[in-house]
Amino acid sequence: QMRLVQSGGGLVQPGESLKLACVASGFSIEHYSIGWFRQAPGKERQQVACIGDSSNINDDGTPYLVDSVKGRFIISRDNAKNTVSLQMNSLEAEDTGVYRCTAAWDKGCPTGWLDNDHWGQGTQVTVFS
């Protein structure tokens, strides 16, 4: 069974950090662009980070980060471990939401929600003061 399994998330105060992990099971993430989408209460779902794969011809390897998280979030991948991580630093209340990782075959970043072939189960991140 091909799936993405997420871990991490939780409840933190502003300024603290969290790390999310997304592990692929049943398939290799090579050739997939892996993204993280956030669904915040009352807001549209948005992709906050995406990382391509160097094996894709149209990918220059530059990770995508939405403006609001630049300088705070870091996305990285380890193809050997079939894992993509999202390190979230200096968290703000506006970062609160459900985060889902996604995998899109041979697509450059950023990816749209419907571009993806696999979706993680989602994990809640809550930043409160």
Side-chain angles (χ1 to χ4, degrees):
Q1 183 179 7
M2 297 184 291
R3 57 180 185 157
L4 296 173
V5 180
Q6 297 179 217
S7 62
L11 193 62
V12 295
Q13 293 187 323
E16 295 184 338
S17 298
L18 282 174
K19 187 172 185 177
L20 305 182
C22 177
V23 180
S25 175
F27 70 101
S28 169
I29 63 172
E30 189 175 3
H31 298 296
Y32 282 90
S33 287
I34 308 296
W36 288 94
F37 285 81
R38 178 171 68 202
Q39 178 76 66
K43 296 184 179 179
E44 289 188 3
R45 181 174 48 227
Q46 70 171 163
Q47 187 170 71
V48 297
C50 181
I51 187 166
D53 189 73
S54 58
S55 62
N56 293 341
I57 293 175
N58 296 320
D59 195 306
D60 66 1
T62 303
Y64 166 81
L65 294 170
V66 73
D67 286 347
S68 62
V69 308
K70 285 180 180 177
R72 300 189 297 120
F73 288 16
I74 301 169
I75 186 171
S76 60
R77 66 189 292 155
D78 185 338
N79 283 7
K81 295 182 179 179
N82 243 9
T83 298
V84 172
S85 298
L86 184 67
Q87 177 68 45
M88 304 184 294
N89 302 318
S90 302
L91 283 162
E92 303 170 352
E94 291 72 26
D95 296 318
T96 293
V98 175
Y99 286 71
R100 292 185 74 177
C101 65
T102 61
W105 171 263
D106 199 28
K107 294 281 197 309
C109 290
T111 57
W113 181 252
L114 296 179
D115 288 335
N116 295 291
D117 303 283
H118 307 283
W119 291 262
Q121 80 274 21
T123 187
Q124 178 70 44
V125 171
T126 303
V127 185
F128 78 106
S129 56

